[in-house]
């Protein structure tokens, strides 16, 4: 196996020509989406669980200053967003980061990112579906419709919860003194019917919502577009209503001090706030269904980030104004602040909004996953069936069905709280590669550009003049704001305790990579925005801990095994002589 073959690249012209040839063979996808539809899809993907849950913990750590953290995080995501916009304009193909990596780094890296995106879309949607079920059951309880616990709890949670309750009861505790989650798990296990001694426990609402969303995705982009637009419209109306009503109950005294725990307290919420922005990249998977992808995709990516940021900032200010920041470390902070002020009627409205928000996130990611598989199948890395379009609906039918089963079945019995971090590290890895891809294929200093003409272009700022200043300012700011961080890092890095050293490995890798990239960026005069995007997202990966890095590596090893068993042998590019 020649090593160079693993990194064979497809030129942009080849990618576009190949996609056009395949669309003639298997029918074209319908071009139904305009900039409004795409922006709605972006907002649908971004504004989900984050605004109803993680915003509370972030506010509890950072106080009202968490509103600024949403702005800073939006800037970080915006750096990657500009890189996605650049690629989406130059390569309007449904493969998103997979296709961009194929053109930038070659086939092996493209396969890795394609496999990696399964974590962001398919695996991530399992966790979203389970969360949706929790909100839906809560909403039903609010209107006196009670779903049996064994039909709304996954098997693993019920089993673990039951045994935990039994242990605590044996030690003298009462059931009423235990958490609501443990009580529900106990009720689910004890009330569940049995067949041959096996408890019949499954999260039916989670399964049903995935089945419904998958059906929408299967029958067409037009139907998915209408559903997305309606859900986003309802979601924004409800959020604006929450903002307007909440504004009348804001106590400005709660905004002082603005950053009660200092900058370090604000920065504790970085990871949680970043996760609230995940999703804007998914709209690039619909490139072949856009009426004018070169103009509309970049606009939609930027607009969805801007609109979401404005809503996040305003809601965080209203939230911290309605209640003291130190009371907000709860799972449902928006519902909590209204309940605290005896506005219980709004709890139902918030529950409805949460259900709509979760459903819209499911829709966008269920829409994205089949289209990535379709692109990989066109290249021969997956079987041909994954790229076949339905003769009537003009959608990747087989891929949509497989994605539906891949998400729906595990929601019945699995508790996937732990995979949310996997979803995040997969997303950040995609952001890193897309930012790096722009550096490889778009270098004005070498008169090398992705496209000529009117395609979207990232503003060019020479790293030689700007990057050193930015890095010096950032390092100095971090040192003066959090001096113990530097002292503890160097002490722990040279200590003899292996467990402490292991936890620092991701950060050490980042520091080494950042030094190398900075040197090359200055010498080669790279464009500043992609470099900052790469460094920012790589740093955020280090915040996820060594355990998630190890899980991520295991996931990639499994993916590489599949590539060498099937993808390498059937690669369309391998069979041609056009690769470079």
């Amino acid at each position: 196996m020649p090593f160079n073959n693993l990194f064979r690249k497809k030129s942009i012209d080849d990618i576009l020509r190949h996609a056009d040839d395949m669309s003639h063979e298997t029918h074209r996808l319908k071009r139904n989406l305009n900039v409004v539809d795409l922006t709605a899809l972006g907002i649908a993907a971004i504004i989900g669980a984050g605004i109803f849950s993680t915003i509370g913990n972030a506010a509890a750590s950072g106080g009202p200053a968490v509103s600024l953290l949403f702005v800073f995080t939006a800037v970080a995501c915006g750096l990657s967003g500009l890189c996605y916009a650049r690629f989406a304009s130059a390569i309007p193909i449904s493969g998103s980061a997979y296709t961009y990596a194929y053109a930038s780094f070659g086939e092996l890296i493209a396969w890795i990112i394609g496999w990696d995106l399964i974590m962001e879309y398919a695996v991530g949607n399992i966790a979203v579906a389970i969360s949706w079920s929790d909100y839906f059951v809560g909403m039903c309880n609010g209107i006196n419709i009670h779903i049996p616990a064994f039909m709304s709890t996954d098997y693993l949670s019920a089993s673990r919860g039951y045994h935990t309750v039994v242990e605590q009861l044996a030690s003298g505790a009462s059931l009423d003194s235990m958490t609501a989650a443990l009580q529900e798990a106990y009720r689910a296990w004890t009330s569940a019917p049995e067949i041959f001694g096996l408890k019949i426990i499954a999260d039916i609402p989670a399964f049903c919502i995935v089945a419904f969303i998958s059906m929408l995705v299967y029958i067409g982009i037009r139907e998915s577009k209408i559903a997305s637009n309606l859900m986003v419209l309802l979601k924004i109306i409800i959020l604006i209503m929450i903002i307007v009503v909440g504004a009348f109950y804001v106590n400005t005294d709660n905004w002082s001090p603005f950053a009660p725990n200092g900058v370090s307290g604000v920065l504790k919420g970085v990871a949680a706030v970043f996760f609230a922005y995940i999703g804007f990249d998914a709209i690039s998977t619909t490139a072949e269904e856009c009426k004018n992808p070169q103009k509309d995709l970049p606009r939609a990516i930027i607009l969805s980030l801007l609109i979401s940021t404005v809503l996040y900032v305003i809601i965080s200010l209203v939230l911290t104004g309605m209640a003291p920041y130190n009371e907000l470390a709860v799972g449902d902070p928006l519902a909590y602040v209204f309940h605290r002020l005896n506005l219980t009627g709004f709890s139902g409205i918030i529950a409805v909004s949460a259900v709509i928000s979760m459903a819209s996130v499911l829709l966008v990611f269920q829409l994205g996953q089949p289209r990535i598989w379709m692109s990989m199948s066109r290249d021969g890395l997956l079987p041909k069936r994954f790229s076949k379009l339905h003769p009537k609906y003009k959608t990747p039918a087989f891929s949509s069905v497989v994605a539906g089963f891949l998400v729906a079945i595990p929601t019945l019995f699995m508790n996937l709280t732990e995979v949310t971090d996997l979803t995040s590290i997969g997303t950040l890895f995609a952001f890193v590669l897309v930012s790096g891809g722009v550096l490889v294929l778009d270098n004005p200093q070498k008169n090398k550009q992705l496209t000529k003409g009117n395609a979207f272009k990232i503003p060019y700022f020479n790293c030689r003049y700007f990057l050193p200043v930015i890095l010096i300012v950032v390092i100095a700011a971090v040192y003066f704001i959090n001096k113990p961080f530097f002292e503890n890092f160097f002490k722990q890095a040279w200590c003899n305790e292996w467990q402490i050293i292991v936890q620092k490995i991701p950060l050490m890798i980042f520091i080494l990579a950042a030094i190398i990239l900075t040197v090359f960026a200055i010498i080669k005069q790279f464009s500043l925005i992609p470099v900052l995007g790469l460094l920012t997202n790589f740093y955020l990966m280090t915040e996820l801990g060594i355990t998630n890095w190890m899980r991520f590596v295991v996931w990639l090893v499994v993916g590489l095994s599949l590539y060498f068993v099937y993808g390498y042998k059937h690669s369309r590019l391998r069979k041609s002589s056009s690769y470079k």
Side-chain angles (χ1 to χ4, degrees), residues 55-56 59 250 255 314-324 328 333-334 337:
I55 189 174
V250 167
W255 289 341
I314 295 175
I315 285 182
S316 63
L317 287 172
V318 170
L319 185 69
T320 53
M322 292 178 68
L328 297 176
L334 288 178
V337 293

Side-chain angles (χ1 to χ4, degrees), residues 73-83 280 305 529:
T73 308
V75 171
C77 290
L79 296 171
S80 298
L82 289 172
C83 295
F280 69 86
L305 277 172
I529 290 175

Side-chain angles (χ1 to χ4, degrees), residues 30-43 221-222 224-226 228-229 283-284 286-301 303-304 367:
K30 288 184 178 178
R31 292 193 178 274
N32 273 305
L33 304 177
N34 57 33
V35 68
V36 175
D37 303 322
L38 292 166
T39 304
L41 285 173
I43 295 171
I221 190 66
R222 179 175 175 273
S224 301
K225 174 189 76 173
I226 294 171
S228 173
N229 289 351
I283 61 177
S284 61
T286 64
E288 293 179 50
E289 289 148 298
C290 302
K291 294 178 180 178
N292 187 358
Q294 287 195 319
K295 290 185 177 180
D296 289 349
L297 274 172
R299 291 173 182 171
I301 289 172
L303 281 173
S304 61
L367 200 65

Side-chain angles (χ1 to χ4, degrees), residues 41-71:
L41 285 173
I43 295 171
I46 295 170
I47 299 181
I51 204 164
F52 296 99
S53 57
T54 58
I55 189 174
N57 289 324
S61 299
V66 73
S67 57
L68 297 179
L69 185 58
F70 276 107
V71 176

Side-chain angles (χ1 to χ4, degrees), residues 126 130 149-150 152-165 181-182 184-186 188-189 192 198-203 409-419:
I126 298 172
I130 293 172
F150 67 86
S152 59
T153 305
D154 63 90
Y155 188 91
L156 292 178
S157 291
S159 175
R160 293 170 183 170
Y162 170 78
H163 289 98
T164 300
V165 169
L182 283 176
E184 183 179 2
Y186 182 79
W189 190 265
L198 178 67
K199 295 282 187 180
I200 307 302
I201 301 174
D203 196 340
I409 300 300
T411 62
L412 288 171
F413 57 87
M414 294 188 71
N415 180 348
L416 289 178
T417 303
E418 293 180 354
V419 305

Side-chain angles (χ1 to χ4, degrees), residues 215-235:
M215 181 187 70
L216 270 179
V217 170
Y218 181 89
I219 64 176
I221 190 66
R222 179 175 175 273
E223 290 74 12
S224 301
K225 174 189 76 173
I226 294 171
S228 173
N229 289 351
L230 286 174
M231 285 189 285
V232 168
L233 181 61
L234 286 171
K235 177 163 52 178

